[in-house]
Amino acid sequence: KPQLGNPQPRAFRLPEHGAVINRYGFNSEGHESAKSRLEAYRASDESRTSVGLLGVNLGKNKLTPEEQAADDYVLGVENIGEFGDYIVVNISSPNTPGLRNLQGRKHLSSLLRKVLKARDANERTAKKPVLVKIAPDLTDSALKDIASVVKSERVDGVIVSNTTIARPDAIKAHKHCDEAGGLSGKPLMESSTKVLHDLYALTGGKITLVGCGGVASGEDAYNKIRAGASLVQLYTAFAYEGPPLVPKIKRELAACLERDGFKSVQEAIGAAHRRK
């Protein structure tokens, strides 16, 4: 359903740290509005010639009770899942009450079964990869539970990670440090990459991982790949630097691969886990 999200102001830039704190709260015009835009895009010349991927990122409404959360995700798959190249089950935003509770073993297993059943029931979504987006603020036992569930339920991948509720020492003197919400950008790089590294080890490299959190350079992207990422996403750095950042990262990443003797990204995936 449409919802306004949290009251403004709800986004705070920390440019000297390459960071942002946001508490948007899934502000959205709802499925119908999104569906009309996605339909128009898929019918456009831009969609037919694009080489990029479009993800449909699903979350629950703020007022949906935790025990009914799966219904919101299933509706998302049914209403707009067909328009994405992949579908994201976002259970890790810190700005929707109770959302991160869905990362627990019992909730997550039940949720994913319902989402995958809904995906497979419709020929327009049946071949769409489903990825789970997790938080960086996880205990070791919680991460082990997630690894177990995503393997047993056979999801197609995990996005590691969403924003953090932690506040690293580097930003504690900033005037926005104490704002509620999720921190993204450069200060997230270390913690999100550690979770990525650990999840790759826990899943034996058998689940596709998407590295996300703090990527602002080719070296950052390379470190995500070495930790176990097959794909890398940009958010905050892209907001600060815009489209020119993408070819810059590609050039720098190519230089990193060449420097270390890799002929392709594929060869470098999980390299941090292999003995030299």
Side-chain angles (χ1 to χ4, degrees), residues 117-128:
K117 183 178 179 181
R119 178 198 65 178
D120 294 342
N122 185 335
E123 63 179 12
R124 294 192 296 265
T125 56
K127 294 183 179 179
K128 306 286 184 183

Side-chain angles (χ1 to χ4, degrees):
K1 300 185 179 90
Q3 61 181 25
L4 293 175
N6 291 320
Q8 297 181 358
R10 56 194 181 191
F12 307 89
R13 290 195 174 209
L14 294 72
E16 59 268 55
H17 298 289
V20 169
I21 293 172
N22 93 79
R23 52 173 180 265
Y24 285 115
F26 284 164
N27 48 305
S28 170
E29 295 177 2
H31 287 171
E32 290 307 311
S33 178
K35 183 176 181 179
S36 65
R37 289 196 296 270
L38 288 166
E39 280 181 325
Y41 171 72
R42 285 304 191 195
S44 69
D45 290 338
E46 180 185 359
S47 175
R48 285 190 287 271
T49 58
S50 174
V51 295
L53 298 177
L54 173 68
V56 169
N57 190 338
L58 303 175
K60 83 173 188 72
N61 277 112
K62 180 178 181 179
L63 298 180
T64 300
E66 199 173 296
E67 61 272 15
Q68 296 172 20
D71 296 342
D72 284 6
Y73 291 91
V74 167
L75 278 174
V77 173
E78 292 173 346
N79 290 338
I80 57 177
E82 66 182 276
F83 302 108
D85 294 301
Y86 63 97
I87 298 167
V88 180
V89 178
N90 187 342
I91 51 171
S92 51
S93 168
N95 302 313
T96 296
L99 190 74
R100 289 191 168 188
N101 294 340
L102 301 178
Q103 294 176 123
R105 180 190 285 265
K106 183 178 177 182
H107 279 307
L108 184 57
S109 183
S110 174
L111 170 63
L112 291 177
R113 285 179 190 174
K114 291 175 181 178
V115 167
L116 293 170
K117 183 178 179 181
R119 178 198 65 178
D120 294 342
N122 185 335
E123 63 179 12
R124 294 192 296 265
T125 56
K127 294 183 179 179
K128 306 286 184 183
V130 169
L131 290 80
V132 180
K133 187 169 186 177
I134 66 172
D137 312 301
L138 293 165
T139 63
D140 290 345
S141 62
L143 189 62
K144 286 178 182 177
D145 284 347
I146 288 172
S148 176
V149 171
V150 296
K151 285 191 294 183
S152 64
E153 300 302 334
R154 301 191 177 192
V155 298
D156 298 288
V158 182
I159 299 175
V160 189
S161 69
N162 213 315
T163 57
T164 181
I165 56 174
R167 297 294 184 264
D169 290 340
I171 71 160
K172 284 189 174 173
H174 197 279
K175 64 180 180 179
H176 293 318
C177 175
D178 293 328
E179 292 289 349
L183 172 70
S184 62
K186 290 181 181 179
L188 180 57
M189 179 69 189
E190 183 176 349
S191 62
S192 62
T193 306
K194 182 183 185 304
V195 176
L196 172 69
H197 182 279
D198 293 347
L199 187 60
Y200 182 89
L202 288 168
T203 56
K206 293 186 168 117
I207 300 279
T208 298
L209 303 181
V210 181
C212 179
V215 176
S217 68
E219 191 76 40
D220 292 338
Y222 181 56
N223 286 331
K224 296 285 190 189
I225 292 163
R226 285 180 54 84
S230 297
L231 299 156
V232 176
Q233 289 184 337
L234 308 175
Y235 282 88
T236 302
F238 188 77
Y240 276 121
E241 300 186 43
L245 178 62
V246 176
K248 175 176 175 287
I249 285 179
K250 289 173 69 177
R251 289 193 301 270
E252 292 171 352
L253 175 57
C256 290
L257 293 167
E258 183 177 3
R259 178 193 69 203
D260 290 350
F262 294 113
K263 295 179 181 178
S264 67
V265 167
Q266 187 68 35
E267 286 186 4
I269 294 170
H273 299 262
R274 299 193 285 270
R275 292 181 179 179
K276 295 181 180 178

